[in-house]
Amino acid sequence: MRGRPKRRGGTWHNASVTNVVIIGGGPGGYEAALVAAQLGGKVTLVEKQGLGGSAVLTDVVPSKGLIATAEVMTKIRTSGELGMRPVDTTLNNLLEAVVIDSDVLNTRLRELAAQQSVDIEARLISEGVRCISGCGRLDGTRQVLATLDDGSEEELPADITLIATGARPRQMAAAMPDGERILNWTQLYNLPEMPTKLIVVGSGVTGAEFASAYFALGCEVVLISSRRQVLPSQDDAAARVIQEAFQARGMTILSESRAASARREGDGVVVTLSDGRLVEGSHVLMAVGAIPNTESLALDEAGIQLTESGHIKVDRVSRTTARGVYAAGDVTGILALASVAAMQGRTAMYHALGDAVSPLNLRYVSANVFTSPEVASVGVTQQQIDTGTVRGRAMMMPLNSNARAKMQGLRYGFIKVFCSPSGVVIGGVVVAPGASELIHSLAIAIRRRLTVDHVAQAFTVYPSLSGSIAEAARRLHVERPDEYIL
């Protein structure tokens, strides 16, 4: 392997330096850059938008910051059940005493994103990575041409190239975003005021998260879903709980409906459905998927194949079909998660620079939907067990049977654990506040091939939501007849 590093006295040394060029500075790109620098590569990273990419600047960081505010509002909304009342007796509840300052909220979100980007750039520079502001494209497989912000070009020799250019919101020709009333998810953080009635088109992860957040922030929300229920890619029972929670709180969901167009009308918008119905609101969010950023990269000339969906085809160590060229993140279409992008980028560099590497295994990936309640999952799915693709058993513990959940006034959710016939934990689903934290114990169990007995015998705090994970494991200990299989 060219330039394979050797370690002497805690420091990496190269007999011949390996030039690594990374196009795209999102999680896949910057994590790859850090690993490549650690392994002794001469690393150049080319990024136009800013370090961190869309994940940091317009997607994950600001959206989860918005959701953090929404979570506080959700707690305030249910505070009366816990005995809390406003001091001002003219108010009926604490919710009436709180308003959202849209300008303060959005300024905070933009500043969070900008500071995270600055921090990432500082870390890269401290590790010896050269960061170029501009766009990159392949020039064969051994060189990258970088077009800098001033229009000039620079030739970058590349023994190893990683493409991590991400994806962007899909657009409908009849509902083109204008950044004011018709919006995609990157444009929400510049609104001068909070929407009064937000129409969300699309009930996948992005649409459901924003519908949940803005409803909690006090907006009237209409969610247009082309499926019978929200979150069609998630566990069916989990999606059913989320839809029930949304509707019980007063959100309008138009199931099995499709948006044909959206237009501005006065100070609002009108969305026309495919059956002719009209939905009026103050703003509309188009959350209809994403498309990979593969244009202007000269992929064909380099011999890089794309999948039918237009994503870059990669194997489990992130190799493309061109020698020496790797790809990571949303541009590959594997799983649109920052954690997966980062792992793909790191794996690519471990492999390219001759270090020990484990191919990507999607069974170990934890995913989370930041609705209220959250939906987290890892490992095999209920559908795989139901169809016989994977042999296993399942145990579900409703959240309302958990003592801590009762104390917190939680109504919606469950914890479900899957195990193999021999009792090895192979998957799980958590629907609860903080599910993104709770799922980690199941992820560890799957990664280390722990049995349900191992999980059951570990002490849990009483009372705690995690106690239901141990309880589900205990109930899976006894060999169950077929009627116990969900």
Short mmCIF file of all heavy atoms in Angstrom, two decimals, residues 232-277:
data_model
loop_
_atom_site.label_atom_id
_atom_site.label_comp_id
_atom_site.label_asym_id
_atom_site.label_seq_id
_atom_site.Cartn_x
_atom_site.Cartn_y
_atom_site.Cartn_z
N PRO A 232 -43.57 5.95 7.46
CA PRO A 232 -43.74 4.63 6.83
C PRO A 232 -42.51 3.75 6.87
O PRO A 232 -42.63 2.52 6.75
CB PRO A 232 -44.12 4.99 5.39
CG PRO A 232 -43.59 6.37 5.18
CD PRO A 232 -43.72 7.05 6.50
N SER A 233 -41.32 4.32 7.05
CA SER A 233 -40.10 3.52 7.07
C SER A 233 -39.78 2.97 8.45
O SER A 233 -38.83 2.18 8.60
CB SER A 233 -38.91 4.35 6.57
OG SER A 233 -38.64 5.42 7.46
N GLN A 234 -40.56 3.36 9.46
CA GLN A 234 -40.27 2.93 10.83
C GLN A 234 -41.10 1.72 11.22
O GLN A 234 -41.99 1.28 10.50
CB GLN A 234 -40.56 4.10 11.80
CG GLN A 234 -39.76 5.35 11.51
CD GLN A 234 -38.27 5.16 11.65
OE1 GLN A 234 -37.79 4.63 12.64
NE2 GLN A 234 -37.52 5.58 10.63
N ASP A 235 -40.80 1.19 12.39
CA ASP A 235 -41.58 0.11 12.98
C ASP A 235 -43.06 0.49 12.95
O ASP A 235 -43.44 1.60 13.33
CB ASP A 235 -41.11 -0.11 14.42
CG ASP A 235 -41.89 -1.19 15.13
OD1 ASP A 235 -42.91 -0.86 15.76
OD2 ASP A 235 -41.46 -2.36 15.06
N ASP A 236 -43.91 -0.42 12.48
CA ASP A 236 -45.32 -0.10 12.28
C ASP A 236 -46.01 0.30 13.58
O ASP A 236 -46.79 1.25 13.62
CB ASP A 236 -46.05 -1.30 11.65
CG ASP A 236 -47.48 -0.97 11.27
OD1 ASP A 236 -47.67 -0.19 10.32
OD2 ASP A 236 -48.41 -1.47 11.94
N ALA A 237 -45.71 -0.41 14.66
CA ALA A 237 -46.33 -0.07 15.95
C ALA A 237 -45.86 1.30 16.43
O ALA A 237 -46.63 2.07 17.00
CB ALA A 237 -46.00 -1.14 16.98
N ALA A 238 -44.59 1.61 16.18
CA ALA A 238 -44.05 2.92 16.58
C ALA A 238 -44.73 4.03 15.79
O ALA A 238 -45.12 5.06 16.36
CB ALA A 238 -42.55 2.96 16.36
N ALA A 239 -44.87 3.84 14.49
CA ALA A 239 -45.53 4.85 13.66
C ALA A 239 -46.98 5.06 14.09
O ALA A 239 -47.48 6.19 14.10
CB ALA A 239 -45.47 4.43 12.19
N ARG A 240 -47.63 3.97 14.48
CA ARG A 240 -49.02 4.07 14.93
C ARG A 240 -49.12 4.90 16.21
O ARG A 240 -50.03 5.72 16.37
CB ARG A 240 -49.59 2.67 15.14
CG ARG A 240 -51.08 2.62 15.39
CD ARG A 240 -51.62 1.22 15.19
NE ARG A 240 -50.98 0.23 16.04
CZ ARG A 240 -50.20 -0.74 15.58
NH1 ARG A 240 -49.93 -0.84 14.28
NH2 ARG A 240 -49.66 -1.62 16.40
N VAL A 241 -48.16 4.72 17.11
CA VAL A 241 -48.15 5.49 18.35
C VAL A 241 -47.93 6.97 18.07
O VAL A 241 -48.59 7.84 18.65
CB VAL A 241 -47.06 4.96 19.31
CG1 VAL A 241 -46.84 5.94 20.46
CG2 VAL A 241 -47.45 3.60 19.86
N ILE A 242 -47.00 7.29 17.16
CA ILE A 242 -46.72 8.69 16.83
C ILE A 242 -47.94 9.35 16.21
O ILE A 242 -48.31 10.48 16.56
CB ILE A 242 -45.50 8.79 15.90
CG1 ILE A 242 -44.24 8.27 16.59
CG2 ILE A 242 -45.30 10.23 15.44
CD1 ILE A 242 -43.89 8.98 17.88
N GLN A 243 -48.59 8.64 15.30
CA GLN A 243 -49.79 9.22 14.68
C GLN A 243 -50.88 9.44 15.73
O GLN A 243 -51.56 10.48 15.73
CB GLN A 243 -50.31 8.31 13.56
CG GLN A 243 -51.61 8.81 12.93
CD GLN A 243 -51.63 8.67 11.42
OE1 GLN A 243 -50.59 8.69 10.78
NE2 GLN A 243 -52.81 8.55 10.86
N GLU A 244 -51.05 8.49 16.61
CA GLU A 244 -52.06 8.63 17.67
C GLU A 244 -51.74 9.83 18.56
O GLU A 244 -52.62 10.61 18.92
CB GLU A 244 -52.10 7.35 18.51
CG GLU A 244 -53.11 7.39 19.64
CD GLU A 244 -53.05 6.15 20.52
OE1 GLU A 244 -52.42 5.16 20.09
OE2 GLU A 244 -53.63 6.17 21.62
N ALA A 245 -50.45 9.99 18.92
CA ALA A 245 -50.04 11.12 19.77
C ALA A 245 -50.26 12.45 19.06
O ALA A 245 -50.77 13.41 19.66
CB ALA A 245 -48.58 10.97 20.17
N PHE A 246 -49.90 12.53 17.79
CA PHE A 246 -50.10 13.76 17.03
C PHE A 246 -51.57 14.15 17.01
O PHE A 246 -51.94 15.31 17.28
CB PHE A 246 -49.61 13.57 15.59
CG PHE A 246 -48.12 13.64 15.42
CD1 PHE A 246 -47.26 13.84 16.49
CD2 PHE A 246 -47.56 13.50 14.15
CE1 PHE A 246 -45.88 13.91 16.32
CE2 PHE A 246 -46.18 13.58 13.96
CZ PHE A 246 -45.35 13.78 15.05
N GLN A 247 -52.41 13.19 16.67
CA GLN A 247 -53.84 13.50 16.53
C GLN A 247 -54.50 13.81 17.87
O GLN A 247 -55.36 14.69 17.96
CB GLN A 247 -54.55 12.35 15.82
CG GLN A 247 -54.12 12.21 14.36
CD GLN A 247 -54.75 11.01 13.67
OE1 GLN A 247 -54.88 9.93 14.26
NE2 GLN A 247 -55.15 11.18 12.43
N ALA A 248 -54.09 13.11 18.92
CA ALA A 248 -54.66 13.36 20.24
C ALA A 248 -54.36 14.77 20.73
O ALA A 248 -55.15 15.38 21.46
CB ALA A 248 -54.15 12.33 21.25
N ARG A 249 -53.22 15.32 20.31
CA ARG A 249 -52.83 16.67 20.73
C ARG A 249 -53.47 17.75 19.86
O ARG A 249 -53.37 18.93 20.18
CB ARG A 249 -51.31 16.80 20.68
CG ARG A 249 -50.61 15.94 21.73
CD ARG A 249 -49.12 15.83 21.45
NE ARG A 249 -48.48 14.91 22.38
CZ ARG A 249 -47.30 14.35 22.18
NH1 ARG A 249 -46.63 14.60 21.06
NH2 ARG A 249 -46.78 13.53 23.08
N GLY A 250 -54.08 17.34 18.75
CA GLY A 250 -54.79 18.32 17.94
C GLY A 250 -54.18 18.59 16.58
O GLY A 250 -54.66 19.47 15.85
N MET A 251 -53.16 17.84 16.19
CA MET A 251 -52.58 18.03 14.86
C MET A 251 -53.51 17.42 13.80
O MET A 251 -54.07 16.35 14.02
CB MET A 251 -51.20 17.39 14.77
CG MET A 251 -50.48 17.67 13.45
SD MET A 251 -48.93 16.72 13.29
CE MET A 251 -47.99 17.33 14.68
N THR A 252 -53.64 18.10 12.67
CA THR A 252 -54.43 17.58 11.56
C THR A 252 -53.53 16.76 10.64
O THR A 252 -52.50 17.25 10.18
CB THR A 252 -55.07 18.72 10.75
OG1 THR A 252 -55.93 19.47 11.61
CG2 THR A 252 -55.87 18.17 9.58
N ILE A 253 -53.89 15.52 10.40
CA ILE A 253 -53.14 14.66 9.49
C ILE A 253 -54.05 14.25 8.35
O ILE A 253 -55.11 13.67 8.56
CB ILE A 253 -52.61 13.41 10.22
CG1 ILE A 253 -51.68 13.81 11.37
CG2 ILE A 253 -51.86 12.50 9.23
CD1 ILE A 253 -51.16 12.64 12.17
N LEU A 254 -53.64 14.58 7.14
CA LEU A 254 -54.38 14.18 5.94
C LEU A 254 -53.69 12.95 5.36
O LEU A 254 -52.72 13.07 4.61
CB LEU A 254 -54.42 15.33 4.93
CG LEU A 254 -55.04 16.64 5.43
CD1 LEU A 254 -55.01 17.70 4.32
CD2 LEU A 254 -56.47 16.42 5.92
N SER A 255 -54.17 11.77 5.76
CA SER A 255 -53.55 10.52 5.33
C SER A 255 -53.95 10.17 3.91
O SER A 255 -55.00 10.59 3.41
CB SER A 255 -53.94 9.39 6.27
OG SER A 255 -53.52 9.66 7.59
N GLU A 256 -53.09 9.40 3.24
CA GLU A 256 -53.31 8.95 1.87
C GLU A 256 -53.70 10.12 0.97
O GLU A 256 -54.63 10.04 0.17
CB GLU A 256 -54.36 7.84 1.85
CG GLU A 256 -53.92 6.61 2.63
CD GLU A 256 -54.93 5.49 2.62
OE1 GLU A 256 -56.08 5.72 3.04
OE2 GLU A 256 -54.57 4.39 2.19
N SER A 257 -52.97 11.19 1.12
CA SER A 257 -53.18 12.41 0.33
C SER A 257 -51.86 12.84 -0.29
O SER A 257 -50.80 12.68 0.32
CB SER A 257 -53.74 13.54 1.20
OG SER A 257 -54.96 13.17 1.81
N ARG A 258 -51.93 13.41 -1.47
CA ARG A 258 -50.72 13.86 -2.15
C ARG A 258 -50.85 15.32 -2.54
O ARG A 258 -51.90 15.75 -3.02
CB ARG A 258 -50.45 13.03 -3.41
CG ARG A 258 -50.02 11.60 -3.11
CD ARG A 258 -49.65 10.86 -4.38
NE ARG A 258 -49.20 9.51 -4.10
CZ ARG A 258 -47.96 9.18 -3.77
NH1 ARG A 258 -47.03 10.14 -3.71
NH2 ARG A 258 -47.64 7.93 -3.53
N ALA A 259 -49.78 16.07 -2.33
CA ALA A 259 -49.75 17.47 -2.74
C ALA A 259 -49.37 17.54 -4.22
O ALA A 259 -48.37 16.95 -4.64
CB ALA A 259 -48.76 18.25 -1.90
N ALA A 260 -50.18 18.27 -5.00
CA ALA A 260 -49.88 18.43 -6.42
C ALA A 260 -49.14 19.73 -6.69
O ALA A 260 -48.31 19.81 -7.61
CB ALA A 260 -51.17 18.40 -7.23
N SER A 261 -49.42 20.77 -5.88
CA SER A 261 -48.77 22.06 -6.10
C SER A 261 -48.91 22.90 -4.84
O SER A 261 -49.71 22.60 -3.94
CB SER A 261 -49.40 22.80 -7.28
OG SER A 261 -50.76 23.14 -7.00
N ALA A 262 -48.13 23.98 -4.79
CA ALA A 262 -48.23 24.96 -3.71
C ALA A 262 -47.98 26.33 -4.31
O ALA A 262 -47.07 26.50 -5.13
CB ALA A 262 -47.22 24.66 -2.60
N ARG A 263 -48.78 27.29 -3.90
CA ARG A 263 -48.61 28.65 -4.43
C ARG A 263 -48.84 29.67 -3.32
O ARG A 263 -49.54 29.40 -2.35
CB ARG A 263 -49.58 28.92 -5.57
CG ARG A 263 -51.04 29.02 -5.14
CD ARG A 263 -51.97 29.34 -6.31
NE ARG A 263 -53.33 29.63 -5.86
CZ ARG A 263 -54.27 28.74 -5.62
NH1 ARG A 263 -53.99 27.44 -5.81
NH2 ARG A 263 -55.47 29.10 -5.21
N ARG A 264 -48.23 30.84 -3.48
CA ARG A 264 -48.47 31.93 -2.55
C ARG A 264 -49.78 32.61 -2.91
O ARG A 264 -50.11 32.76 -4.09
CB ARG A 264 -47.33 32.94 -2.62
CG ARG A 264 -46.03 32.40 -2.11
CD ARG A 264 -44.95 33.44 -2.10
NE ARG A 264 -45.26 34.57 -1.20
CZ ARG A 264 -44.32 35.36 -0.69
NH1 ARG A 264 -43.05 35.17 -1.00
NH2 ARG A 264 -44.64 36.36 0.09
N GLU A 265 -50.50 33.01 -1.90
CA GLU A 265 -51.74 33.76 -2.11
C GLU A 265 -51.89 34.75 -0.98
O GLU A 265 -52.15 34.36 0.17
CB GLU A 265 -52.94 32.81 -2.17
CG GLU A 265 -54.22 33.49 -2.64
CD GLU A 265 -55.32 32.50 -2.98
OE1 GLU A 265 -55.19 31.80 -4.02
OE2 GLU A 265 -56.29 32.41 -2.19
N GLY A 266 -51.69 36.03 -1.27
CA GLY A 266 -51.73 37.05 -0.23
C GLY A 266 -50.60 36.85 0.76
O GLY A 266 -49.44 36.69 0.39
N ASP A 267 -50.95 36.82 2.04
CA ASP A 267 -49.96 36.61 3.09
C ASP A 267 -49.86 35.14 3.50
O ASP A 267 -49.38 34.84 4.59
CB ASP A 267 -50.33 37.45 4.33
CG ASP A 267 -50.17 38.93 4.07
OD1 ASP A 267 -49.33 39.30 3.23
OD2 ASP A 267 -50.90 39.72 4.69
N GLY A 268 -50.28 34.25 2.64
CA GLY A 268 -50.23 32.84 2.97
C GLY A 268 -49.94 31.98 1.77
O GLY A 268 -49.42 32.43 0.75
N VAL A 269 -50.27 30.70 1.91
CA VAL A 269 -50.05 29.73 0.84
C VAL A 269 -51.29 28.87 0.67
O VAL A 269 -52.09 28.71 1.61
CB VAL A 269 -48.83 28.81 1.15
CG1 VAL A 269 -47.55 29.61 1.16
CG2 VAL A 269 -49.03 28.07 2.46
N VAL A 270 -51.40 28.31 -0.51
CA VAL A 270 -52.46 27.35 -0.79
C VAL A 270 -51.83 26.11 -1.41
O VAL A 270 -51.11 26.21 -2.41
CB VAL A 270 -53.53 27.92 -1.75
CG1 VAL A 270 -54.57 26.85 -2.10
CG2 VAL A 270 -54.20 29.15 -1.15
N VAL A 271 -52.07 24.97 -0.79
CA VAL A 271 -51.58 23.69 -1.31
C VAL A 271 -52.74 22.96 -1.96
O VAL A 271 -53.80 22.79 -1.33
CB VAL A 271 -50.96 22.82 -0.20
CG1 VAL A 271 -50.57 21.45 -0.74
CG2 VAL A 271 -49.74 23.52 0.40
N THR A 272 -52.56 22.58 -3.21
CA THR A 272 -53.59 21.83 -3.93
C THR A 272 -53.24 20.35 -3.89
O THR A 272 -52.13 19.96 -4.26
CB THR A 272 -53.69 22.30 -5.39
OG1 THR A 272 -53.99 23.69 -5.42
CG2 THR A 272 -54.78 21.54 -6.12
N LEU A 273 -54.18 19.54 -3.42
CA LEU A 273 -53.97 18.10 -3.37
C LEU A 273 -54.34 17.47 -4.70
O LEU A 273 -55.05 18.06 -5.52
CB LEU A 273 -54.79 17.48 -2.25
CG LEU A 273 -54.54 18.03 -0.84
CD1 LEU A 273 -55.36 17.26 0.19
CD2 LEU A 273 -53.06 18.01 -0.48
N SER A 274 -53.87 16.25 -4.93
CA SER A 274 -54.10 15.59 -6.21
C SER A 274 -55.58 15.32 -6.48
O SER A 274 -55.97 15.17 -7.63
CB SER A 274 -53.31 14.27 -6.26
OG SER A 274 -53.67 13.43 -5.18
N ASP A 275 -56.39 15.27 -5.42
CA ASP A 275 -57.82 15.07 -5.62
C ASP A 275 -58.59 16.38 -5.73
O ASP A 275 -59.83 16.38 -5.75
CB ASP A 275 -58.40 14.21 -4.49
CG ASP A 275 -58.23 14.84 -3.12
OD1 ASP A 275 -57.80 16.02 -3.04
OD2 ASP A 275 -58.52 14.17 -2.11
N GLY A 276 -57.88 17.50 -5.78
CA GLY A 276 -58.52 18.80 -5.96
C GLY A 276 -58.78 19.58 -4.70
O GLY A 276 -59.11 20.77 -4.76
N ARG A 277 -58.63 18.97 -3.54
CA ARG A 277 -58.85 19.69 -2.29
C ARG A 277 -57.79 20.77 -2.12
O ARG A 277 -56.66 20.62 -2.57
CB ARG A 277 -58.81 18.74 -1.10
CG ARG A 277 -60.03 17.85 -0.95
CD ARG A 277 -59.86 16.90 0.24
NE ARG A 277 -58.79 15.93 -0.01
CZ ARG A 277 -58.23 15.18 0.95
NH1 ARG A 277 -58.61 15.34 2.21
NH2 ARG A 277 -57.27 14.32 0.65
#
